[in-house]
Amino acid sequence: MARKKYSTKLFYKYYLDWIHLYKENAVRPITLKKYFLVQKQIKELAPDLHMNELSRQNYQRIINKYAQNHEKATVLDFHHHLKACIFDAVDDGAMESDPTRRIIIKGCKPKPKKSKFLSFYDLQRLLHYLDLGNDINWDWFILLIAKTGLRYAEALALTPEDFDFEKQQIIVNKSWDYKSKVGHFQPTKNPSSKRKVTVDWQLMQQFKTMMQDIDDKDLIFVRKGQSVYNSLVNTRLNKYCDKLEIPRISIHGLRHTHASLLLYEGVSIASVAKRLGHSNTTTTQETYIHIIQELENKDSDKIMQHLSKLI
């Protein structure tokens, strides 16, 4: 029986071919950029490593080198991008076995981060501080995300026709590519991100009044030719938080805050996942595991109180 021949191509070149074959025109441009960035990093970390030399030890060395200058969460993301290619390489017969099994994920000491979410009290103080006049501004944008949990790019893409006033819903079916030189509409992050988000009557009426002079298909927050980056709103938020002496929060942190407060109010994980546009509840559970564990502890107390009454 002839011995099976495995690929001897350089790892970084094999990874590049894999991107072209499996990822081009299959993922969003921003996701594709991440794959190309990973490929560039492999070339720097292991320029002479061939596929037939990609053992568990060599793969661990790549991870260890990358971990010297990156935090653990970033290293894990890097590992996941590599692992996808390697899984396919094994399935396609280019490798004998999977070298990523039982790999140890390391990372350098994380930098101090902004708060992931605000308490209900601090959020209330922030929202009361906003300058909510009769015209749409970035403070209205902050309020909208705090009340809906929309992603930054999803909120930027909103037009008047996305507001269903009869059902009190905001229709999310696109996002805005604010990172390109000339912004344009793009698909949502995933198919599950297409959704309808119910909001309170007051917010709907406020936006209905302010959008009277805006054409149905025109953007609400972005003006023609205007460049918008999340740093624009984050700088504003930092200023407000410092003034109020509350933890600094990012615009994405307001999305986390929205979800966290819903969970604390007893809203199911499934409902929160649907509202956020997560592809499955596993993503929601992993993101808010600390809150879920806290709620489970409270539930345990309630269970014990109930059982004690049965005696």
Side-chain angles (χ1 to χ4, degrees), residues 52-270:
N52 59 324
E53 301 169 333
L54 191 53
S55 63
R56 183 175 168 231
Q57 290 83 0
N58 284 335
Y59 185 77
Q60 184 70 63
R61 289 187 186 100
I62 293 173
I63 294 297
N64 290 351
K65 280 184 185 178
Y66 188 74
Q68 289 174 4
N69 302 309
H70 296 87
E71 294 179 20
K72 195 170 183 177
T74 308
V75 177
L76 183 61
D77 187 53
F78 176 71
H79 164 63
H80 284 157
H81 279 77
L82 290 180
K83 190 167 70 170
C85 170
I86 291 170
F87 276 8
D88 282 344
V90 174
D91 286 345
D92 294 343
M95 296 181 68
E96 182 178 6
S97 59
D98 174 19
T100 69
R101 284 184 67 250
R102 294 166 55 205
I103 286 299
I104 307 300
I105 302 299
K106 304 176 183 180
C108 60
K109 189 177 179 181
K111 298 174 184 176
K113 289 184 172 62
K114 293 179 181 179
S115 299
K116 198 168 185 179
F117 63 93
L118 294 176
S119 67
F120 178 79
Y121 174 71
D122 286 341
L123 179 63
Q124 282 283 63
R125 290 185 63 204
L126 173 63
L127 298 184
H128 285 149
Y129 189 77
L130 298 177
D131 177 19
L132 302 174
N134 296 324
D135 297 317
I136 290 176
N137 58 19
W138 290 113
D139 284 18
W140 280 107
F141 185 86
I142 291 170
L143 178 66
L144 180 73
I145 289 186
K147 283 197 168 191
T148 61
L150 295 185
R151 296 180 179 92
Y152 179 69
E154 291 172 346
L156 287 179
L158 290 177
T159 64
E161 69 178 4
D162 295 323
F163 285 70
D164 186 335
F165 296 105
E166 186 178 337
K167 295 181 180 178
Q168 289 182 214
Q169 292 179 333
I170 292 176
I171 302 162
V172 181
N173 54 21
K174 58 192 175 302
S175 64
W176 184 252
D177 184 8
Y178 61 92
K179 293 184 178 180
S180 62
K181 290 182 180 179
V182 181
H184 55 82
F185 290 117
Q186 63 181 0
T188 53
K189 186 174 182 180
N190 52 56
S192 302
S193 295
K194 289 186 177 182
R195 62 201 188 277
K196 295 178 181 179
V197 180
T198 304
V199 294
D200 60 279
W201 175 86
Q202 183 182 14
L203 186 70
M204 293 296 285
Q205 290 306 308
Q206 288 167 328
F207 269 87
K208 186 175 185 179
T209 301
M210 292 187 293
M211 295 188 304
Q212 285 179 347
D213 297 328
I214 302 175
D215 291 340
D216 283 350
K217 295 186 182 298
D218 284 351
L219 294 170
I220 296 169
F221 294 104
V222 184
R223 297 293 166 260
K224 208 168 188 180
Q226 180 186 10
S227 297
V228 289
Y229 302 97
N230 51 13
S231 58
L232 174 73
V233 187
N234 285 336
T235 300
R236 201 180 190 98
L237 273 172
N238 288 342
K239 177 182 166 187
Y240 292 167
C241 291
D242 291 345
K243 192 80 174 176
L244 295 167
E245 296 183 348
I246 62 177
R248 283 189 170 191
I249 192 83
S250 67
I251 195 69
H252 193 70
L254 286 180
R255 173 174 159 85
H256 285 310
T257 298
H258 180 76
S260 301
L261 294 179
L262 290 181
L263 289 170
Y264 277 126
E265 285 296 316
V267 178
S268 72
I269 295 172

